Structure formats: structure tokens, C-alpha cells
């Protein structure tokens, strides 16, 4: 924080002086009228001008088309104001004045709420299961339930989803059952992944949700590739990919955005800006000293003066990068289910109808630890976590809106929470009891058919296993 | 591309420019800019894009302008192309072909003279083939495109100018099969890509001197065609591998291990291997020639083997 006694800041300076370029165009047109289209005469007229204005000429390099200027002026790293954030409901779930509520009827709203609650319940129970040693790893979506579910509700089942790993709610919305979630987490033989991936790395071809791969942001180019295919087939569908504030630093983010814009691919880039990438806070993930200015009136013993105080805040996030790639973008309150629903619906329409990518930065907060391998109290305060978990809970916020429409009641809440808990625990117990995948699934799916070396390896392994009972898998 | 509308090509300058080695010349005019797609420069991302497109129903052919640049795509190739069919439980297949010119050229410098078959051979889930003649290039390319597995097809920078009469009609070669180039009985020489031509050149000298080498172009680098290779070794009892990879960790290293594991009882002596030096490929012509195997060395080695001197 710096104390800078300053002159009052003027209007933000613009790089191109609009009045200058209009004047020069008018002048060159009138020059042509005076001297006709004869090139020599025109040249002579130009050369005879005593004051040769560089502003009259247009930049015509292949790399850009703009007007020249004789004023050297660097572009500031920050705009005067941060990009505003779209929201419909306030923090207490009340519709803001003048907001345009999207068409969400009671059955859709209640279904969304059911999914959010189920997701929250599943997360808390399975997190505890890991703590008890029943599964080896888990990762929660706590704090991002509204973002998950509302964005999923705005898509169709034909839209292909390329998730990072904190989007279980999207899959839950599409119809993945609690049993299917649990089977994958327990890596038993009933899981779709056949026990090959670590917990929460779900995938479902049927539900157009592509299997999660741990490395960050690798799914972004995949989504562009899928969108490219959809564009060629002229399908009424788009690709949707999710990533975090940390994922936006990866090279794949840059190239996927660039590719999507250049190729005009129908893909939605949904950035879940939840403030943390494991322990790295957003202000260390990206730069841009965004100054928040306060006018302070200071009275000292002998004089009073106004001070402008500059506060360092994290740079203006991911949304501003959209323009750098030539992409439509929007910033939305990720904890406001209605705003997310509306923004994603509109973005989808634009993507599909105009075959263009859209960047959506959804501001939210990662209430849980990064995963069960993390203890976030080491880098943030317990008060901060508690605040966002309770007062800023997006599920509660949405519930308040439902209640204000008389679509939800205290009894409904009690019943749903109880039922969800029972269902999740039942799914967990069932999944835990099932067998792990058999040895025959160790070598399959590496290729489409088993090549000779893998057949040999399997034969050798079975031989070893049969001679060394019983700790290795028996079948 | 004419037979199957889902086949498309992605890479840098593959469109109207026709590709840096003109492999895709004329395709953009015929099939359009979308099916022969020019991309901005980011190998990791357009390979990722090709993987995403392949998972959603297209058969993508990704071109690395030089195979060496595909090192930038290693993340996508290893973690995604190689793994996703397995980790998804077989739900998503990746019928992608990754191809491009590689190998040691004529004074292209170290970064443009790499043998990526050496680095990728370990990645589970990938299949690798190397073409060496116009005939097998056409057949292997078709087979690779039709395969549902991710296939890396290695072309060689110095082989694009070869001319050969090949059938007009469609033919598809087997990806896992080696090619018997010259039958013989004295020694089995296993080779691939550009070294095949060096071996043939050496063979002329060897035949004049009365030797009878059996030459096999292994073509399939992963998995090895141990059936063809084994039958040959059972006949000759001697094997020499001639490769362009470095001595350490190359195809030759893996092939020697596979031969020892499988055909130990049929060998008269250890499997021999001629490889490139373990150095970045230098620019100066004399140094570059000394880095890779030359026909004269092949002649000397075969003579030594046949005379029992090694």
C-alpha cells in the first residue's frame, strides 16, 4: 500500500485519438476531390504539404490494422476498473432490482437444488471415508456446487464436457448415479473405469463426460478438437471445458484459447476462479496490480489533505485475457446459480449459432482443501474458510431463493438431507463390498486387442500368482 | 480421406502450403481447409486437439513438422493418447495417427535430427511403425489411419525423394508385420527406415564377397514382429541390428533384450547392434557422417560375425 499525494486522475487516456483519425480521413477524402483521382496530382498535393502528419497514414502490416500515432504512449497493464461481475441474486438469495430472472420453473429449480445437496452430501461423506482409510484419496467440490450444477443445467446432453477434476456436479446432473460414483472411488470391478484411475477421475461416454486426466489443462485442447469435429458435422452442440485459476497459467490454456478463436470453434471455456491453486493464491498466479483507490480525508495538526491510497489486489483475473485472443468473454458470480445458468445458456447459444468460443470466468471460492492430500489451514485462516463455508454458501443462497418462491420448505430440507445421507452411505457400503477388478483387466484396453508381449506378460504373471497364494488377486 | 469423411489432417502449414515436406500437397484444395487444418504453433495443443477430436469420432492425422518438435507434445502423447483408452475403462478410443519426418538428415543440426522412436517406445498404449519405401509408406499409412489405436508413424527426412512403382489400387499393410527384404542364410540383419537402404548398399558388397545376408526391415517398432524375426534367427543363428537410434536406450537396445529373452537357444553369439553415437548430432558434414552408421561399418561387422571374430 503506497501513500501517494496526487493530482486528481483524469479520464483514462485512449491509445487512438478518435478525433485525430476522423479528421485525417476527411482531409484525405477532400484532397482526392480537389485533385481528382490522378495519382501524380495527388502525390504532388501530398508532398507539397508542409506539415506531413503521420496520423493520416494507416498501419498496413500483415500483423495488425490500426492507425499510426505520433504520441508514444504505453498501454497501462490495468484498465481503470475491473471487469464487473454479473449476478442476479444477492448474497441472501434475493433477486436484485432490475435483474432479469432466467426461465427456471419450480421443477428445474428443485432438481438443481436436489443435485447440489446430493453433491454436498456425497463430498462430505466420502471425504470422511478417506480420512478413515476406506478410500485412498478424495477431492471435494465444496463451495462450487452452484457453479457445477447450474452450468450443467444450461447445457444439453449432446454438449461434450471436458472436465478438470472439480466438476462432479456436472456429471451428477447428467445422471451418473451415486453407485457409479462410489464404484469408481472404490476402484471396484463395477466401475466404468475398471479400476484404472484414482478416485474422482470419473468418465462416462454415455453421458458425454470425458474421463478425467490428472495433468492440469490438458483437456483444453481436447475440447477444441472436439469442437472442431462438431463444427465439421454442423451439430447443434458445443464442447465445454472447465479449469481453475491455476489451470489458466498452463501453456495449453493459451494455445487452446488461441486455436479456438482462430479456428472459430464452438467451445465454452469455463474458468472456475476459486482463488487458490493448492496453496498458491490468485494474486500469485497472475499479475496486474489492480489499484483500488480510496479517497481519504486526513486531518493532521496543522493541515488537512486528500490522499489517494492504492491497494494491491490480484490482477483482473482471467476474463480480460479473452479480448487478447479475440474471444467473447464474461465474468459471472459463480456462487449465484441463476447468474451462472443464464450466462452459460447465452454463451452456449452464441457458440453453437455463431461457431465461436466463449470464455466464462466464474468467480467462486474453494471452501474445501485442494484434496485429501492438502491441509489448507496452513496457508489460509480458519476464519476465512468458515466465512465462505457458512455465510457465502451457494447452496444455501439458492435455497433462500427457492423458499422465497415457496418452492421449498424446512420439512423438504430435512427430508432431502436425510434421504441424501442414507443414499450416499448405502452406495458407499455397497461399493466397498464389491470385488476389485480381476487380473484379466490389467492388460486389456492398453490397445484394442492384446498384443503378443502383453499376452506373455499376463501368462507370466498368472504363473507367479498361482505359485504364491493368496495375497495377490485370486482370479 | 476420400474413402472416409472422418479422416482429417492437423498440423502447421499442412494446408495450402502442402506441408514442409509436401506430404499433404494438394489435399487442402481437394478436401477443404477444415479437413486439412493449418494450426498456430503449439505442438502440445494441436496434438491435444487431435486427441480430443479422435475421442469424439474423427480419425485425425497429426503432423509434426519435424518429429523433434513433438517433444513439446510429449505430455499429450504420453499422458493422454497413450493412457486414456486404458484409464477410461475402454470407453474412449483414440484412433489418432501422429506422423512426421524425423531421423538424421543432411546437416540439419542437433534439434532437427532426433530419433523420437527412442523416447516414445516405452509409453504403454502407443503403437509405432516406421516406413522406408514408397510402397510401405502408402500401405502403413492406410493401416495406421484405420487402426483404432494411437499410432506413431515415423517417416525419414531423407527418404521423401525415393521413387518406386507402386500399385494404384488400394492396399493396406499389416502394422505389426516385418518385411523380408532379402532372404539369406548367413546372418540376420534387422533394420528400419533409412538404415534399410544403407544395409542394402552394404549387402551388395557382402554378396560380391560371397556372403548371404538375410535382411529384414522390422517396420513395426512397437510391438516387434518376433515371429518373422524368430524364424530368421532360427535359420541363421546370428543377428545384427542396424539402427539410427543412439546406442543408449534405442530401438536396438530393446530389440536385443527381446531377442535374448526369446531366442537365446538359437544364437551362436550375442546379438550385435550398430547404432549412432551417444552425441547430439553435429552440424559439420564429416562429424555428422561419423555419428551415424555407414555402409562400410556394416560390411566390416558382418564379416567379423561370419568369420567368428566377434
Amino acid at each position: 500500500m503506497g501513500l501517494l499525494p496526487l493530482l486528481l486522475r483524469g479520464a483514462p487516456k485512449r491509445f487512438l485519438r478518435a478525433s485525430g483519425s476522423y479528421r485525417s480521413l476527411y482531409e484525405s477524402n477532400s484532397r482526392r476531390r480537389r485533385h481528382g483521382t490522378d495519382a501524380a496530382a495527388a502525390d504532388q498535393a501530398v508532398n507539397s504539404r508542409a506539415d506531413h502528419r503521420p496520423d493520416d497514414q494507416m498501419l498496413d502490416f500483415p500483423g495488425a490494422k490500426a492507425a499510426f500515432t505520433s504520441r508514444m504512449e504505453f498501454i497501462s497493464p490495468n484498465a481503470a476498473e475491473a471487469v464487473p461481475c454479473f449476478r442476479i441474486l444477492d448474497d441472501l438469495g434475493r433477486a436484485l432490482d432490475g435483474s432479469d430472472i432466467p426461465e427456471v420453473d419450480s421443477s428445474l429449480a428443485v432438481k438443481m437444488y436436489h443435485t447440489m445437496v446430493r453433491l454436498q452430501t456425497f463430498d462430505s461423506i466420502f471425504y470422511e471415508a478417506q480420512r478413515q482409510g476406506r478410500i485412498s484419496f478424495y477431492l471435494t467440490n465444496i463451495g462450487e456446487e452452484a457453479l457445477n450444477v447450474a452450468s450443467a443445467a444450461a447445457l444439453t446432453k449432446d454438449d461434450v464436457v471436458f472436465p478438470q477434476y472439480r466438476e462432479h456436479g456436472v456429471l451428477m446432473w447428467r445422471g451418473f448415479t451415486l453407485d457409479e460414483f462410489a464404484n469408481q472411488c472404490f476402484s471396484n470391478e463395477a466401475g466404468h473405469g475398471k479400476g484404472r484411475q484414482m478416485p474422482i477421475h470419473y468418465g462416462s461416454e454415455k453421458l458425454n463426460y470425458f474421463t478425467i486426466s490428472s495433468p492440469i489443462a490438458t483437456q483444453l485442447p481436447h475440447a477444441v478438437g472436439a469442437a472442431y469435429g462438431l463444427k465439421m458435422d454442423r451439430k447443434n452442440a458445443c464442447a465445454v471445458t472447465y479449469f481453475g485459476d491455476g489451470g489458466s497459467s498452463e501453456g495449453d490454456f493459451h494455445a487452446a484459447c488461441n486455436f479456438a478463436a482462430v479456428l472459430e470453434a464452438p467451445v465454452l471455456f469455463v474458468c472456475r476462479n476459486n482463488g487458490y491453486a493448492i496453496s498458491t493464491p490468485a494474486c500469485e498466479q497472475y499479475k496486474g496490480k489492480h489499484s483500488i483507490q480510496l479517497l481519504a480525508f486526513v486531518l493532521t495538526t496543522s493541515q488537512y489533505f486528500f490522499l489517494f491510497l492504492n491497494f494491491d489486489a490480484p490482477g483482473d483475473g482471467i476474463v480480460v485475457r479473452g479480448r487478447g485472443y479475440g474471444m467473447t468473454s464474461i465474468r459471472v458470480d459463480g456462487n449465484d446459480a441463476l447468474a451462472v445458468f443464464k450466462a452459460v445458456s447465452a454463451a452456449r447459444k452464441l457458440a453453437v449459432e455463431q461457431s465461436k468460443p466463449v470464455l466464462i470466468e466464474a468467480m467462486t471460492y474453494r471452501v474445501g482443501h485442494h484434496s485429501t492430500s492438502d491441509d489448507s489451514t496452513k496457508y489460509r485462516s480458519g476464519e476465512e474458510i468458515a466465512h465462505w463455508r457458512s455465510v457465502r454458501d451457494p447452496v444455501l443462497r439458492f435455497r433462500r431463493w427457492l423458499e422465497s418462491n415457496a418452492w421449498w420448505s424446512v420439512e423438504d430440507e430435512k427430508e432431502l438431507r436425510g434421504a441424501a445421507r442414507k443414499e450416499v452411505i448405502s452406495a458407499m457400503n455397497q461399493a466397498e463390498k464389491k470385488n476389485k477388478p480381476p487380473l484379466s483387466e490389467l492388460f486389456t484396453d492398453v490397445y484394442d486387442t492384446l498384443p503378443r508381449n502383453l499376452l506373455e506378460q499376463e501368462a507370466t504373471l498368472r504363473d507367479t500368482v498361482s505359485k504364491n497364494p493368496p495375497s495377490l488377486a485370486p482370479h | 480421406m476420400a474413402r472416409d469423411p472422418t479422416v482429417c489432417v492437423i498440423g502447421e502449414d499442412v494446408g495450402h502450403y502442402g506441408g514442409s515436406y509436401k506430404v499433404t500437397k494438394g489435399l487442402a484444395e481437394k478436401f477443404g481447409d477444415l479437413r486439412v487444418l493449418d494450426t498456430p504453433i503449439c505442438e502440445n495443443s494441436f496434438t491435444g486437439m487431435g486427441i480430443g477430436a479422435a475421442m469424439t469420432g474423427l480419425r485425425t492425422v497429426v503432423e509434426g513438422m519435424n518429429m523433434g518438435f513433438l517433444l513439446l507434445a510429449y505430455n499429450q502423447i504420453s499422458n493422454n493418447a497413450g493412457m486414456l483408452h486404458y484409464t477410461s475403462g475402454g470407453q474412449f478410443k483414440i484412433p489418432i495417427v501422429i506422423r512426421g519426418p524425423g531421423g538424421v538428415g543432411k546437416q540439419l543440426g542437433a534439434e532437427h535430427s532426433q530419433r523420437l522412436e527412442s523416447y516414445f517406445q516405452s509409453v504403454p498404449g502407443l503403437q509405432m511403425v516406421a516406413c522406408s519405401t514408397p510402397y510401405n509408406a502408402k500401405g502403413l499409412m492406410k493401416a495406421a489411419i484405420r487402426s483404432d489405436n494411437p499410432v506413431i508413424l515415423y517417416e525419414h527426412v531423407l527418404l521423401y525423394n525415393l521413387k518406386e512403382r507402386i500399385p494404384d489400387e488400394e492396399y493396406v499393410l499389416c502394422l505389426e508385420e516385418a518385411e523380408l527384404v532379402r532372404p539369406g542364410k548367413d546372418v540376420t540383419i534387422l533394420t528400419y527406415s533409412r538404415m534399410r537402404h544403407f544395409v542394402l548398399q552394404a549387402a551388395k558388397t557382402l554378396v560380391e564377397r560371397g556372403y548371404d545376408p538375410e535382411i529384414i526391415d522390422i517396420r513395426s517398432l512397437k510391438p516387434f514382429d518376433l515371429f518373422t524375426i524368430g524364424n530368421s534367427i532360427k535359420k541363421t543363428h546370428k543377428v545384427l541390428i542396424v539402427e539410427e537410434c543412439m546406442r543408449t536406450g534405442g530401438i536396438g537396445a530393446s530389440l536385443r533384450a527381446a531377442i535374448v529373452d526369446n531366442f537365446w537357444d538359437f544364437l551362436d553369439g550375442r546379438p550385435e547392434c550398430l547404432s549412432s553415437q551417444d552425441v547430439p548430432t553435429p552440424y559439420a558434414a564429416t562429424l555428422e557422417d561419423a555419428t551415424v552408421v555407414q555402409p562400410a561399418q556394416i560390411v566390416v561387422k558382418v564379416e567379423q560375425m561370419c568369420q567368428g571374430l566377434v
Side-chain angles (χ1 to χ4, degrees):
Chain A
M1 185 175 100
L3 290 170
L4 297 169
L6 283 177
L7 297 170
L8 196 65
R9 255 178 111 93
K13 297 186 173 71
R14 285 166 294 175
F15 183 64
L16 297 173
R17 290 173 302 148
S19 53
S21 37
Y22 289 147
R23 187 175 68 234
S24 65
L25 267 174
Y26 172 81
E27 282 186 304
S28 64
N29 278 336
S30 61
R31 209 164 55 236
R32 233 177 280 121
R33 277 197 296 275
R34 273 203 296 278
H35 300 280
T37 51
D38 180 70
D43 282 345
Q44 206 176 21
V46 168
N47 290 334
S48 70
R49 285 174 69 90
D51 51 337
H52 192 66
R53 271 185 253 228
D55 295 27
D56 293 345
Q57 298 156 3
M58 287 294 286
L59 178 76
D60 65 348
F61 290 111
K65 300 261 179 294
F68 280 109
T69 173
S70 52
R71 290 181 49 162
M72 184 186 76
E73 201 173 335
F74 286 87
I75 305 174
S76 161
N78 305 294
E81 282 178 9
V83 171
C85 185
F86 174 60
R87 63 155 42 169
I88 292 175
L89 300 176
D90 67 9
D91 277 334
L92 298 174
R94 299 176 300 206
L96 293 162
D97 287 341
S99 48
D100 186 11
I101 306 220
E103 282 180 26
V104 174
D105 63 10
S106 69
S107 67
L108 178 59
V110 167
K111 185 176 176 210
M112 281 165 66
Y113 186 70
H114 270 229
T115 311
M116 290 188 217
V117 167
R118 246 187 218 104
L119 177 64
Q120 223 176 35
T121 311
F122 193 94
D123 272 352
S124 58
I125 291 174
F126 269 70
Y127 185 89
E128 292 309 318
Q130 192 277 345
R131 284 289 177 250
Q132 294 163 13
R134 292 166 82 173
I135 52 176
S136 70
F137 174 85
Y138 193 73
L139 180 151
T140 65
N141 306 266
I142 302 187
E144 301 181 44
E145 298 90 344
L147 171 50
N148 267 227
V149 173
S151 63
L155 303 171
T156 71
K157 61 176 170 51
D158 292 327
D159 297 322
V160 288
V161 174
F162 288 85
Q164 177 67 74
Y165 46 57
R166 214 181 291 278
E167 299 90 11
H168 317 161
V170 176
L171 188 55
M172 196 177 270
W173 174 266
R174 287 190 163 198
F176 212 57
T177 65
L178 296 179
D179 284 331
E180 289 173 310
F181 279 107
N183 287 336
Q184 199 281 336
C185 286
F186 280 92
S187 64
N188 62 34
E189 63 183 355
H192 291 295
K194 299 181 192 170
R196 274 109 183 227
Q197 256 293 17
M198 56 192 289
I200 69 93
H201 286 61
Y202 311 112
S204 169
E205 195 228 339
K206 205 178 63 173
L207 302 176
N208 271 331
Y209 186 94
F210 281 72
T211 303
I212 291 169
S213 167
S214 311
I216 301 291
T218 55
Q219 72 279 6
L220 297 178
H222 296 174
V224 178
Y228 160 72
L230 291 173
K231 178 178 163 139
M232 281 215 281
D233 289 342
R234 288 186 239 274
K235 279 217 180 101
N236 179 10
C238 64
V240 184
T241 182
Y242 295 82
F243 54 101
D245 39 294
S248 73
S249 294
E250 279 281 355
D252 275 347
F253 166 79
H254 155 73
C257 286
N258 193 34
F259 276 46
V262 168
L263 306 176
E264 296 185 328
V267 53
L268 304 188
F269 291 101
V270 183
C271 177
R272 296 179 293 96
N273 189 337
N274 63 17
Y276 289 92
I278 309 190
S279 70
T280 306
C283 60
E284 286 174 27
Q285 193 66 245
Y286 45 78
K287 200 61 196 129
K289 191 175 88 141
H290 185 73
S291 40
I292 301 171
Q293 288 152 334
L294 280 187
L295 175 62
F297 176 67
V298 179
L299 186 67
T300 67
T301 51
S302 60
Q303 57 186 343
Y304 59 82
F305 50 93
F306 289 95
L307 284 178
F308 279 89
L309 308 171
N310 284 317
F311 290 90
D312 281 358
D316 201 14
I318 315 305
V319 64
V320 287
R321 300 186 198 178
R323 177 161 278 179
Y325 296 112
M327 239 186 346
T328 306
S329 44
I330 188 170
R331 166 175 280 161
V332 67
D333 179 347
N335 286 2
D336 177 346
L338 290 184
V340 170
F341 181 82
K342 187 163 181 184
V344 173
S345 304
R348 183 196 177 274
K349 189 159 184 281
L350 194 151
V352 173
E353 286 175 7
Q354 296 180 35
S355 190
K356 281 190 165 50
V358 182
L359 173 63
I360 300 166
E361 183 184 21
M363 309 306 296
T364 180
Y365 187 86
R366 193 197 76 205
V367 172
H369 306 304
H370 166 71
S371 71
T372 49
S373 311
D374 174 44
D375 173 12
S376 61
T377 58
K378 290 200 159 64
Y379 50 83
R380 55 183 182 175
S381 71
E383 291 83 42
E384 180 185 320
I385 302 173
H387 170 76
W388 285 89
R389 184 186 289 273
S390 55
V391 173
R392 310 289 288 273
D393 178 12
V395 182
L396 177 60
R397 187 172 168 191
F398 191 57
R399 179 177 135 203
R400 291 214 168 104
W401 183 70
L402 288 181
E403 286 168 346
S404 73
N405 286 338
W407 293 341
W408 198 251
S409 70
V410 170
E411 290 78 36
D412 290 330
E413 179 73 13
K414 207 160 139 222
E415 199 188 313
L416 175 61
R417 291 275 174 186
R421 198 179 158 73
K422 272 212 194 73
E423 284 162 19
V424 169
I425 291 177
S426 163
M428 180 167 72
N429 291 336
Q430 296 291 326
E432 196 172 26
K433 284 200 213 99
K434 292 199 174 85
N435 284 327
K436 298 297 180 228
L439 272 186
S440 57
E441 295 291 12
L442 179 58
F443 297 100
T444 48
D445 299 321
V446 181
Y447 298 101
D448 52 355
T449 54
L450 278 165
R452 181 185 159 150
N453 65 319
L454 291 185
L455 283 168
E456 279 174 13
Q457 289 178 18
E458 186 178 354
T460 310
L461 181 61
R462 283 190 185 282
D463 189 49
T464 312
V465 166
S466 68
K467 295 194 171 107
N468 297 283
S471 52
L472 292 173
H475 54 287
Chain B
M1 287 182 78
R3 176 191 64 97
D4 181 353
T6 65
V7 178
C8 50
V9 180
I10 298 177
E12 295 159 14
D13 299 308
V14 295
H16 292 280
Y17 186 74
S20 56
Y21 285 88
K22 303 294 172 239
V23 174
T24 54
K25 186 171 167 197
L27 293 181
E29 284 81 42
K30 220 167 151 191
F31 298 108
D33 285 344
L34 215 45
R35 280 184 75 193
V36 187
L37 187 68
D38 277 336
T39 64
I41 307 179
C42 190
E43 284 74 8
N44 198 40
S45 291
F46 64 69
T47 306
M49 203 180 133
I51 293 168
M55 287 202 283
T56 46
L58 292 179
R59 289 189 173 265
T60 40
V61 179
V62 172
E63 170 171 314
M65 191 184 275
N66 184 287
M67 286 304 254
F69 305 159
L70 290 181
L71 287 172
L72 287 141
Y74 209 117
N75 184 15
Q76 288 287 353
I77 293 173
S78 165
N79 283 328
N80 291 318
M83 287 190 196
L84 275 168
H85 187 247
Y86 187 76
T87 57
S88 69
Q91 292 184 82
F92 299 106
K93 63 176 192 202
I94 303 148
I96 193 175
V97 177
I98 297 169
R99 51 155 293 271
V104 177
K106 278 267 176 288
Q107 297 191 269
L108 295 178
E111 294 93 342
H112 294 73
S113 310
Q114 305 204 61
R115 280 76 82 197
L116 254 61
E117 60 269 24
S118 188
Y119 307 143
F120 285 127
Q121 61 175 325
S122 268
V123 178
L126 296 180
Q127 211 171 337
M128 308 199 311
V129 286
C131 60
S132 50
T133 64
Y135 178 79
N136 63 35
K138 174 174 172 178
L140 289 175
M141 175 74 83
K142 284 180 180 288
I145 290 173
R146 281 158 223 237
S147 166
D148 279 346
N149 294 318
V151 178
I152 306 189
L153 172 61
Y154 295 91
E155 300 155 15
H156 197 285
V157 281
L158 295 180
L159 297 183
Y160 286 117
N161 287 330
L162 287 179
K163 286 188 167 44
E164 188 184 351
R165 270 211 123 71
I166 58 176
D168 275 334
E169 67 263 15
E170 184 126 294
Y171 62 93
V172 180
L173 293 175
C174 177
L175 284 178
E176 296 87 16
E177 213 171 66
E179 184 183 326
L180 178 63
V181 183
R182 181 191 189 281
K185 58 175 174 28
D186 286 348
V187 58
T188 299
I189 305 181
L190 304 176
T191 183
Y192 67 95
S193 191
R194 183 176 177 229
M195 288 295 131
R196 167 201 177 122
H197 302 280
F198 276 25
V199 167
L200 287 172
Q201 200 180 327
K204 287 195 194 127
T205 309
L206 288 167
V207 167
E208 273 172 37
R209 294 187 192 178
Y211 297 98
D212 188 21
E214 176 149 295
I215 301 173
I216 293 177
D217 182 338
I218 62 173
R219 282 192 338 208
S220 178
L221 306 181
K222 183 178 165 92
F224 295 129
D225 178 4
L226 291 177
F227 181 74
T228 306
I229 293 170
N231 282 343
S232 179
I233 293 175
K234 287 173 190 170
K235 194 169 49 164
T236 66
H237 311 295
K238 293 186 197 52
V239 63
L240 168 65
I241 301 166
V242 180
E243 60 163 353
E244 208 176 60
C245 282
M246 277 85 82
R247 190 135 198 92
T248 304
I251 296 292
S254 302
L255 189 48
R256 274 214 263 193
I259 289 170
V260 162
D261 278 347
N262 289 283
F263 309 117
W264 176 256
D265 292 329
F266 300 98
L267 290 168
D268 281 348
R270 69 168 185 232
E272 293 288 336
C273 188
L274 288 172
S275 325
S276 294
Q277 314 291 1
D278 278 328
V279 301
T281 311
Y283 171 80
T286 43
L287 294 180
E288 185 180 69
D289 284 343
T291 311
V292 299
V293 178
Q294 298 295 336
Q297 287 168 270
I298 303 171
V299 172
V300 166
K301 183 63 98 170
V302 170
E303 283 188 320
Q304 284 173 339
M305 288 169 75
C306 290
Q307 289 162 22
L309 295 171
V310 285

